[in-house]
Amino acid sequence: MSDGGGAGIGFFRSVDEVSERLAEAGYLASTAVATTVFLADRLGKPLLVEGPAGVGKTELAKAVARVAGARLVRLQCYEGIDESRALYEWNHAKQLLRITAGRGETWDEARTDIFGEEFLLSRPLLTAIRGSEPTVLLIDETDKADLEVEGLLLEVLSDFQVTVPELGTITAGRRPFVVLTSNATRELSEALRRRCLFLHIDFPDAELEQRIVRSRVPGLDAALAESLVRVVGSLRAMELRKAPSVAETIDWARTLLALGADTLEESVVRDSLGVVLKHQDDVLTAGRKLTLT
């Protein structure tokens, strides 16, 4: 494992090892995915993963953490998130209690104490940088954060260090494996993209999706899995508000098992469309256009 100044992370030795270990953790990765994960690990560069919702972007980071025996630190981005939620903030209530308890002190004496480690609240970015154990830092749905937070990410991911004015510069002793995910609801800056390796994950092809479904739903018959994936593919080809994700394909497979379905009959499909389609207009569209012959 490299230190903060080295290049690599050291989780994997080869592309094949990435594929094998992720598969053991239940994540079936394509060659492109396994190769990019290996390069991000070997080069020590953040990995930016884009693609439709529900194709396994977040799950990839979780799977890497599982197989590497690493701590997962997650920063969930959302509109309005700021530096205090992403990086750190001071425990103002505790600081006030400390000041109140030391009424006889001068401000200089109190300030030295209240801006110490005891009063610092680490948020995900600082937590990942300060960690001494193997860490996967997941910055989820980066595209939902505003430009100010994106600028903060640029600073942190450039040198893997953070400056806390009252404490000084904190540099990563062990560089985390960083995964940023994006649903591309807005365009990320070129500066952020330059600092990352890029991976686009789309919906898997039919063969891979069948393997994924059967690995996650072991009791599902091969022929039924094939029919299910074919129908999901047909749904994705329609103009829907939200195409079914891989996770929803798996949920549908479990639904069929729960219903005791041996074949994908039209009545079963139409009665259970709400498992994979989450908008009424999508259900109506599928009802008009879907054919099972």
Side-chain angles (χ1 to χ4, degrees), residues 183-214:
N183 294 329
T185 57
R186 75 167 177 85
E187 189 67 27
L188 300 177
S189 71
E190 290 300 322
L192 182 60
R193 290 180 178 275
R194 282 197 303 271
R195 283 164 173 77
C196 304
L197 297 184
F198 176 73
L199 174 65
H200 184 273
I201 300 181
D202 210 335
F203 295 114
D205 61 33
E207 181 183 355
L208 179 56
E209 189 159 17
Q210 288 176 43
R211 289 173 53 209
I212 293 171
V213 170
R214 296 198 67 198

Side-chain angles (χ1 to χ4, degrees), residues 36-37 48 56 72 82 84 86 104 114 122 124 130 164 166-167 170 187 220 223 225 229 241 275 277 282 287:
T36 311
V37 168
L48 171 59
L72 178 70
D82 58 14
S84 66
I114 65 171
S122 291
R130 283 157 54 102
V164 180
E166 297 84 357
L167 298 177
I170 301 171
E187 189 67 27
L220 193 69
V229 169
R241 289 179 62 182
V275 176
L277 301 179
D282 286 349

Side-chain angles (χ1 to χ4, degrees), residues 2 163 250:
S2 68
T163 298
I250 294 169

Side-chain angles (χ1 to χ4, degrees), residues 224 228 231 252-253 255-276 290 292:
L224 186 55
L228 176 65
V231 171
W252 210 7
T255 298
L256 295 177
L257 280 185
L259 294 174
D262 297 321
T263 60
L264 209 58
E265 298 177 356
E266 182 172 349
S267 59
V268 173
V269 170
R270 298 188 185 281
D271 289 343
S272 60
L273 273 176
V275 176
V276 287
L290 189 63
L292 301 177

Side-chain angles (χ1 to χ4, degrees), residues 54-91:
V55 293
K57 302 185 296 296
T58 299
E59 186 58 33
L60 176 59
K62 293 179 178 179
V64 169
R66 288 198 299 271
V67 302
R71 175 182 58 163
L72 178 70
V73 177
R74 181 174 183 172
L75 172 61
Q76 179 63 53
C77 296
Y78 53 86
E79 185 177 351
I81 189 173
D82 58 14
E83 182 174 324
S84 66
R85 293 297 179 184
L87 193 54
Y88 74 91
E89 62 181 322
W90 293 103
N91 189 332

